[in-house]
Amino acid sequence: MFPSTSSAVVLSQGLVASQETMGTPHMSFTPQTSPLPHLAFSPYGLQHSLGGDAASHPRETLPSLPLKLRVGGSPQIGASAVQRSSSNSPWPWNEEWSLNNKRSSVGEEHHSNNRNNSGTSNGPSSSINCLSVSALRMKKMKARRKVREPRFCFKTMSEVDVLDDGYKWRKYGQKVVKNTQHPRSYYRCTQDNCRVKKRVERLAEDPRMVITTYEGRHAHSPSHDEDDTGAAAASQISFFW
DNA sequence: CGGGTTTGACCGGCGC
DNA sequence: GCGCCGGTCAAACCCG
């Protein structure tokens, strides 16, 4: 799962990204100064800071992440909480959280879709198929777009992009976002009935720093064995929005 | 062969 | 209204 063989995940301390990085101006990071054997975090105490939408998400809607940055045997773990502060950032906790307030949430649909067939199908029924497929796709897209799961993110200094948080992820997309030289990767939890997603990207100004954004909450336990030290460490590190 | 990754296309949202 | 951009899809590809 871990794509790289060696990496030192170190604590990022007191970082403040004040200029636009990956379209994320004025990010500020709360210092975490105590190196811990494992990274864990508890974003739950921060719901109130998320505004109305967050208030609508009960505590349980936030992802529980026994993040286990087990790198190189003796990890120096650290994570910087990222604080919501910008007004015009494309960073998710700004517009997207506010969008959450505006959009009603409906269930997502997961059907197979035949997007690529819509333009190439032949025969007398092709137009009908086109329409139905297109309509289905549209419906699906709309349903998908309206759903906004609770999110939080953190920053780590790591050589690897994908941190071992105990869950199994499948990459479903990669995108180069504007004004960045590093692509953003999109991952989805491979567990059935679990729609937790995460985005991983690197800071443009400091490629050693990895920004991981989780969306949603796992409806299951981590996919591989945990020693639970992450949970224990959760009491030692708190994450902030 | 099954599961994961890559990658180009597509879509909706949003700003101008 | 239009174009840009981020997010997602899914076929093709890769790998064990």
Side-chain angles (χ1 to χ4, degrees), chain A residues 207-225:
Chain A
R208 297 169 304 170
M209 305 306 297
V210 178
I211 303 286
T212 304
T213 303
Y214 288 89
E215 176 177 340
R217 179 182 185 273
H218 292 282
H220 58 94
S221 301
S223 59
H224 64 245
D225 292 339

Side-chain angles (χ1 to χ4, degrees), chain A residues 4 14 18 21 23 34 47 64 77 98 104 109 138 142 152 168-169 180 185-186 216 231:
Chain A
S4 175
S18 61
T21 59
S34 303
Q47 294 275 336
S64 65
I77 299 305
S98 62
S104 62
E109 300 174 0
M138 187 77 72
K142 285 183 178 178
F152 72 99
K168 201 174 178 190
W169 302 93
T180 68
S185 297
Y186 299 89

Side-chain angles (χ1 to χ4, degrees), chain A residues 182-195:
Chain A
H182 299 97
R184 174 183 295 170
S185 297
Y186 299 89
Y187 296 87
R188 182 176 293 139
C189 184
T190 59
Q191 195 68 222
D192 287 342
N193 300 322
C194 182
R195 292 182 189 151

Side-chain angles (χ1 to χ4, degrees), chain A residues 13 52 56 60 63 78 80 103 109 119 153 180 184 190-191 199 229 231 241:
Chain A
Q13 301 182 1
S56 70
E60 289 74 22
S80 295
R103 297 172 185 156
E109 300 174 0
C153 79
T180 68
R184 174 183 295 170
T190 59
Q191 195 68 222
R199 289 182 299 202
T229 53
W241 290 90

Side-chain angles (χ1 to χ4, degrees), chain A residues 14-62:
Chain A
L15 289 171
V16 175
S18 61
Q19 74 174 51
E20 181 160 355
T21 59
M22 295 184 293
T24 311
H26 313 307
M27 283 193 304
S28 61
F29 299 91
T30 305
Q32 294 286 346
T33 56
S34 303
L36 294 169
H38 296 285
L39 175 63
F41 41 88
S42 173
Y44 297 136
L46 305 151
Q47 294 275 336
H48 61 279
S49 69
L50 295 175
D53 178 72
S56 70
H57 290 284
R59 173 193 182 97
E60 289 74 22
T61 61
L62 280 173

Side-chain angles (χ1 to χ4, degrees), chain A residues 42 85-86 98 104 113 124 127 142 161 167 175 179 189 201 219:
Chain A
S42 173
S85 60
S86 169
S98 62
S104 62
N113 90 35
S127 61
K142 285 183 178 178
D161 289 339
Y167 294 92
K175 190 95 177 172
N179 297 327
C189 184
E201 57 194 306

Side-chain angles (χ1 to χ4, degrees), chain A residues 28-119:
Chain A
S28 61
F29 299 91
T30 305
Q32 294 286 346
T33 56
S34 303
L36 294 169
H38 296 285
L39 175 63
F41 41 88
S42 173
Y44 297 136
L46 305 151
Q47 294 275 336
H48 61 279
S49 69
L50 295 175
D53 178 72
S56 70
H57 290 284
R59 173 193 182 97
E60 289 74 22
T61 61
L62 280 173
S64 65
L65 283 171
L67 186 65
K68 183 169 59 177
L69 301 179
R70 189 184 295 143
V71 183
S74 61
Q76 296 177 284
I77 299 305
S80 295
V82 182
Q83 176 181 341
R84 302 170 62 206
S85 60
S86 169
S87 61
N88 60 350
S89 167
W91 202 245
W93 47 75
N94 294 302
E95 289 90 346
E96 294 187 16
W97 273 106
S98 62
L99 285 174
N100 251 343
N101 295 334
K102 292 187 288 186
R103 297 172 185 156
S104 62
S105 179
V106 298
E108 284 191 51
E109 300 174 0
H110 279 266
H111 304 297
S112 63
N113 90 35
N114 302 312
R115 184 191 67 198
N116 291 338
N117 293 341
S118 62

